Every structure is written in structure tokens, then in C-alpha cells.
Amino acid sequence: PRAILDMSYSRQFLDFQGSSIPSSMKKLVVTKLSQNFREAVTLQQDSPVPLPGDGDLLVRNRFVGINASDINYSAGRYDPSVKPPFDIGFEGVGDVVALGLSTSASYTVGQAVAYVKAGSFAEYTVVPAKQAVPLPSVKPEFLTLMVSGATAYISLKELGNLSEGKKVLVTAAAGGTGQFAVQLAKAAKCHVIGTCSSDEKGGFLKSIGCDCTINYKTENVESVLRKEYPEGVDVVYESVGGKMFDLALNSLATKGCLIVIGFIAGYQTPTGLQPVKAELLPAKLLKKSASIRGFFLNHYLSEYKVALKDLLKMYERGDLVCEVDFGDMSPEGKFTGLESIFRAVDYMYMGKNIGKIVVELPHSVNSKL
């Protein structure tokens, strides 16, 4: 019979390996609103380990995901009413180390779970059981699906209207979410074009099925698109913003659709935006009967569980590559420990990553035995 650890009554409890869960932990906290992540965020050394309530899990984080929008969050752009200090980090994968009484009907200590919830940049996070996703094991690949994979899956399904033979342009195609937009568009039998910033990334994109890659550092994207696709492209999956947005808009075919999932090029500016030539927008859309759709994952949470289930199945069947970038090629090496999250965010904004940036949080287990 498994032990039920009812955290609502006890501060003293054991994790599944027989070691004491500490009373304090490290976590990252936004202490000042700024688009400069290093200025906004502080590593706190001795925060109390939170206690799960009746319907909660206490998760010891093993891997956490880095997202471009971490900077928007630290700048206070998502909810201007929230004032510092507040926790940061959107997603994690780890082990359940304690749980509330009612939660023990469906979860056990030692179980691997993933979740999307603010506050993952910490050694331990309390996660409502209904927001957790049970996993077969703790693997960083599962983390790539939680926000990045789900964003690509739901946005293309709900807004992209993909069908065989359509031409799909993915900007920042070798990034955390771009890799999934490429593969899902290919799975829908579309012709996929991906922009990227290096030949190495271009090689990765070819390996996951991209039909045409454009290195924007060495090639003129607009010229290549005009030459290769004179009729334009049917769908654009756009996450860069600024000049790339303008270029993508100009490349749309008649009845084409541009899906905005982000605009990373501007996030580090005081406004969070880079200028676009918006004054011509009505005329451009009218001329092509084209559309622009915005996509924010939080507005599609009703589709989330189905999307994730499908993505997990695809990965387990071997039909989906979930590329993880631990920063092994970064100047100071692999992203390990909460203190390396600052480097990981810098690495992403330098455009160095191939796939999803993931930080590993190693835990030393002090057994009492």
C-alpha cells in the first residue's frame, strides 16, 4: 500500500527516495519590472518550499523550459495589475514528491509529471493536480510539447486551415515552436518553407522535412520568396515581428493567412514592439482577400488536453522530433541549475538555439539511510 502524504496537516514529510524535502529552496523572482531579464529577475536562495493543498501536487522540478515570453512576463506586459515580487517560469517536468489527500486517488509519490503554470523557475513548484500531465518518465523532450508544441498544434489546426499542397512559411523555423510548425505542416502534406539564421539550422530543418530553407543572414528572404513562390504563400506562422512581419505580409498569396504567435524581435525594447508598416495594412489585406490572425495559447486552453495527447502519441510513435537545446555549444556550456536561466535567456535572444531551450535542475538526494 502506498503512503498518502497529506500535506495539509504536516510539515514533516519524506520524498519517495527516503530523503527529507528541505524547508527552503532556490527560485527566481521578478523583483523589478523590466524587459532586461537580468535586471528584472533575482535568484532567491532561501525561499520556503511551498506546501501543496488538498488538490495539489508538490513537484520537484528536473527540467524547465525557456520561452521568449519570459521577458514579456518579467516586464509586466501580460497582467499590468500584478506588482513585483512574483514568481516566473511557465513550464516544468519533474517528480511528484508530496501530494494532497484527495490527489492521492489519481497520483502517487514518485510519478513523473509535466505542467504549464507560472512559477516553474524554482526547485519545487506546487501544481494543481488538474493542471498536471502524467508522463511515462521524466524526459526533457516532453517539455518541448507543453507550450511550444501545443502552440504550433492548436494555432495551425484552428487558424491555419491546412490542406495538401498548401505553401506554409515558418519564420524562426529552427526554434522551440518553429520546429513543430514545420513538422505539423509537413504531416498535413503541405509544402514548407523555413527561415533560419545559419546553415547548421538549415540542415536541421531539412532533417525534419522542410522543403525549402532560407538563411536570412546570407540570403535576401524577400527575393527568394518572390523568385521561388511568385504566387505567394498560403499560410505564414510568424514569431519574429518587425521587418520579418512586413516581409511575410507582402509574401501572402490571395486568400492567404498570417498567424502571429509572437514578435520576439521587439521583446527586449522598452515597448516590446518593433515598428511595422501597418498604415498599408488595410490596402494589402483587401488587395489579396488576406487575413491576419493572432494566437495566444491561454485563449485556447479548452483545446489543450486533446492537442497534448495527440502530440505525445506522435512523439512516442516516432512521428515527431522534439529537439532540445541544453546550451552545450554556448560559451559557458550546458544550462544547469537555476542560475543558468539568465544565460539561457540571453542565448535565445542571440538566436543561437536549435530546438527548445531547456535548463536541467540537478538535485542531490541526501538519504537518511
Side-chain angles (χ1 to χ4, degrees):
R2 64 172 186 259
I4 293 172
L5 300 178
D6 180 9
M7 290 314 304
S8 55
Y9 296 109
S10 167
R11 276 187 170 271
Q12 288 303 311
F13 55 98
L14 299 175
D15 76 5
F16 64 100
Q17 287 172 306
S19 65
S20 294
I21 294 174
S23 56
S24 64
M25 66 171 187
K26 293 181 190 173
K27 70 173 180 176
L28 293 192
V29 178
V30 177
T31 47
K32 171 190 169 187
L33 295 183
S34 171
Q35 76 280 356
N36 180 327
F37 192 82
R38 286 178 181 270
E39 277 183 18
V41 179
T42 305
L43 175 61
Q44 293 191 348
Q45 298 284 350
D46 53 357
S47 297
V49 172
L51 290 176
D54 183 55
D56 297 332
L57 307 170
L58 181 64
V59 178
R60 178 166 59 189
N61 293 314
R62 298 266 298 279
F63 299 102
V64 295
I66 305 297
N67 292 284
S69 42
D70 290 327
I71 278 186
N72 285 335
Y73 202 61
S74 71
R77 291 179 185 137
Y78 283 165
D79 184 354
S81 69
V82 177
K83 299 287 179 273
F86 55 86
D87 296 348
I88 190 166
F90 292 129
E91 54 186 343
V93 165
D95 311 295
V96 174
V97 292
L99 67 173
L101 194 56
S102 65
T103 316
S104 63
S106 43
Y107 284 91
T108 59
V109 167
Q111 190 162 0
V113 293
Y115 65 89
V116 175
K117 178 185 177 284
S120 70
F121 291 169
E123 291 178 314
Y124 296 86
T125 303
V126 167
V127 180
K130 60 178 186 292
Q131 288 180 24
V133 179
L135 297 174
S137 61
V138 175
K139 282 174 76 173
E141 285 77 10
F142 293 125
L143 192 56
T144 66
L145 303 175
M146 299 302 293
V147 171
S148 302
T151 295
Y153 184 102
I154 300 170
S155 64
L156 289 173
K157 180 170 176 276
E158 296 293 317
L159 311 178
N161 199 19
L162 300 184
S163 57
E164 187 169 353
K166 281 198 172 179
K167 295 184 276 295
V168 178
L169 171 65
V170 180
T171 64
T177 188
Q179 64 171 329
F180 294 111
V182 167
Q183 294 179 81
L184 294 167
K186 279 307 291 178
K189 300 184 175 171
C190 297
H191 177 93
V192 184
I193 308 125
T195 71
C196 61
S197 59
S198 70
D199 292 341
E200 189 192 358
K201 290 184 180 188
F204 166 68
L205 290 174
K206 289 263 169 61
S207 76
I208 58 170
C210 204
D211 297 287
C212 168
T213 62
I214 308 172
N215 180 346
Y216 66 81
K217 293 274 177 81
T218 58
E219 299 173 84
N220 182 310
V221 180
E222 200 150 18
S223 307
V224 173
L225 289 171
R226 205 179 294 123
K227 179 169 174 272
E228 300 293 332
Y229 307 97
E231 301 291 309
V233 296
D234 303 298
V235 179
V236 182
Y237 184 86
E238 214 299 270
S239 61
V240 177
K243 288 176 182 166
M244 189 63 86
F245 171 88
D246 288 329
L247 188 156
L249 179 66
N250 293 340
S251 304
L252 279 178
T254 302
K255 297 184 184 175
C257 175
L258 190 155
I259 303 170
V260 177
I261 65 122
F263 29 92
I264 188 173
Y267 291 172
Q268 289 180 300
T269 66
T271 61
L273 296 164
Q274 267 203 337
V276 295
K277 294 174 182 164
E279 66 276 6
L280 301 173
L281 195 57
K284 286 179 178 177
L285 294 178
L286 179 66
K287 187 179 168 190
K288 293 178 174 176
S289 293
S291 65
I292 297 177
R293 302 288 302 268
F295 179 88
F296 187 46
L297 185 59
N298 290 10
H299 298 148
Y300 287 85
L301 294 180
S302 57
E303 316 292 321
Y304 185 78
K305 285 234 155 131
V306 173
L308 204 57
K309 203 171 170 185
D310 208 10
L311 287 164
L312 284 165
K313 273 188 199 153
M314 288 174 77
Y315 172 65
E316 283 167 355
R317 281 200 310 263
D319 294 340
L320 198 62
V321 172
C322 297
E323 188 70 16
V324 173
D325 191 332
F326 279 118
D328 293 303
M329 306 309 288
S330 67
E332 293 171 57
K334 186 176 174 177
F335 303 132
T336 305
L338 288 169
E339 47 287 337
S340 70
I341 287 174
F342 298 97
R343 284 200 298 121
V345 169
D346 290 344
Y347 182 74
M348 174 171 48
Y349 277 90
M350 288 188 285
K352 299 291 189 191
N353 58 300
I354 296 181
K356 172 88 178 181
I357 300 177
V358 173
V359 175
E360 184 172 4
L361 305 185
H363 282 271
S364 58
V365 175
N366 304 316
S367 177
K368 290 180 167 181
L369 302 174

